[in-house]
Amino acid sequence: MSTDEHADEHAERFTLLRPLLFTIVYEILGSATESDDVLQDSYLRWADVDLATVRDTKSYLAQLVTRQALNSLRTNARRREDYVGPWLPEPLLLDENDASTDAVLAESVSMAMLVLLETLTPDERAVFVLREVFGFGYEAIAVAVGKSVVTVRQVAHRAREHVRARRKRFEPADEAENARITRQFMTAAATGDLEGLLSLLSPDVTWTADSGGRATAARRPVVGAEKVAAVLMTIFRRGQLTDPRIELVNCNNVPAIVVHGGDRPEGAFLVEITEGKVTGVYAVRNPDKLVALTVPRRISR
């Protein structure tokens, strides 16, 4: 086989598995931008691998990108510790209904789950993702994280119990209903309809905003319908957003509101809905975390 044919086969195998590899890395890092960097670096390493030594391409590449993702997570740990205000994952713009038929995949990329995964150690997070979401065996995971199989089993149990104790109840969404409620929410916020907004909010709704200190935003979660409504009135009606253009998109497999100012996004608002009421809003205002919203992604498991 010629050098070009070898290169083509490397590229073909990687491209075929790219949505899955991207999903693994995104769930470990919570950043689409950093995930792209990890995949690029991983591909360069993959291009030097002798394919004759690879028995299972999927497992090999999953191990490779996991190791690189863990390196990135540890390298950026201090940056996250020093972050101003709450740290939220980058919103992930998806192809329409990308994960809607796979409940496990849909939950795994939800903002609520990604925020919960932030409370795990890097090893716990990687082991949980590989085992619980993607179903890899303990032996393959052990290679990916550089631990013994016995240790990986212990880490998996610890991470599973941690997530189980803290996860919110997850039920497959009624997409049409959630989209309708999100549109009503968007309209009420944009037009200053306080009464309409309060009718959509759960009494214990929580607003969590991520600005990194680079945009005006609450630096602690805001709880309660009246308080959250007041925050929204301030944002949409008092000039925090410049000449806003509002669109409804699919982020992290839920209807999300993206507000554009001029030619760039100024905010992404992911709306969590339970039993017909808005129970949570994740507001991402840090401009660095909005860059990836220009490209829809494909995810897989």
Side-chain angles (χ1 to χ4, degrees):
M1 187 179 292
S2 69
T3 302
D4 287 344
E5 288 173 328
H6 274 292
D8 289 345
E9 186 172 354
H10 278 89
E12 183 178 345
R13 293 194 194 188
F14 196 93
T15 300
L16 182 65
L17 291 168
R18 186 181 177 89
L20 177 142
L21 301 175
F22 175 84
T23 311
I24 290 173
V25 178
Y26 175 73
E27 292 188 13
I28 293 174
L29 296 179
S31 167
T33 305
E34 291 175 14
S35 296
D36 287 338
D37 292 340
V38 166
L39 289 191
Q40 182 176 3
D41 183 64
S42 297
Y43 180 75
L44 294 175
R45 294 170 185 268
W46 167 245
D48 290 332
V49 172
D50 181 357
L51 295 180
T53 66
V54 178
R55 289 187 297 176
D56 182 338
T57 301
K58 177 181 175 182
S59 183
Y60 187 98
L61 285 174
Q63 292 164 348
L64 174 59
V65 300
T66 297
R67 286 193 293 271
Q68 297 307 113
L70 284 172
N71 289 340
S72 178
L73 195 60
R74 290 170 179 135
T75 298
N76 293 324
R78 177 53 63 91
R79 183 155 53 94
R80 293 191 183 187
E81 289 173 5
D82 296 339
Y83 199 76
V84 177
W87 189 97
L88 290 175
E90 281 185 13
L92 186 67
L93 181 63
L94 295 178
D95 287 337
E96 193 67 24
N97 302 322
D98 192 89
S100 59
T101 60
D102 186 331
V104 173
L105 183 60
E107 182 185 19
S108 72
V109 297
S110 69
M111 189 64 77
M113 177 57 77
L114 292 170
V115 169
L116 173 50
L117 292 181
E118 285 293 318
T119 65
L120 300 176
T121 67
D123 283 343
E124 286 173 343
R125 185 166 183 167
V127 169
F128 180 87
V129 167
L130 292 176
R131 181 65 183 170
E132 300 299 319
V133 180
F134 297 94
F136 283 99
Y138 290 111
E139 293 80 5
I141 298 172
V143 174
V145 300
K147 306 288 185 183
S148 71
V149 172
V150 171
T151 299
V152 165
R153 287 182 182 274
Q154 294 170 343
V155 171
H157 175 75
R158 189 166 62 243
R160 188 164 51 246
E161 291 302 307
H162 181 98
V163 171
R164 183 178 297 157
R166 293 164 176 79
R167 84 199 306 168
K168 296 181 180 181
R169 183 181 65 183
F170 182 83
E171 296 177 356
D174 182 332
E175 294 172 40
E177 176 72 359
N178 283 1
R180 181 185 66 79
I181 293 170
T182 303
R183 287 192 189 93
Q184 290 179 336
F185 173 87
M186 178 173 63
T187 300
T191 60
D193 179 5
L194 180 59
E195 184 177 339
L197 194 57
L198 288 171
S199 72
L200 296 169
L201 299 176
S202 169
D204 58 352
V205 60
T206 299
W207 169 277
T208 307
D210 175 335
S211 70
R214 301 187 59 195
T216 303
R219 294 192 178 181
R220 291 184 177 87
V222 177
V223 181
E226 292 186 357
K227 291 181 179 178
V228 170
V231 170
L232 282 159
M233 292 296 101
T234 299
I235 290 175
F236 282 90
R237 305 298 292 172
R238 296 183 188 171
Q240 283 192 22
L241 300 173
T242 307
D243 189 23
R245 175 175 60 84
I246 302 172
E247 65 174 333
L248 189 66
V249 299
N250 179 358
C251 279
N252 298 76
N253 209 49
V254 297
I257 301 161
V258 175
V259 180
H260 298 269
D263 60 353
R264 62 184 178 83
E266 291 196 10
F269 304 87
L270 283 71
V271 182
E272 208 171 63
I273 298 170
T274 306
E275 297 179 349
K277 293 287 187 179
V278 175
T279 54
V281 182
Y282 298 99
V284 181
R285 301 290 310 281
N286 185 336
D288 291 341
K289 294 189 176 185
L290 299 173
V291 173
L293 285 176
T294 57
V295 181
R297 308 299 183 122
R298 287 186 59 232
I299 57 175
S300 177
R301 74 179 183 99

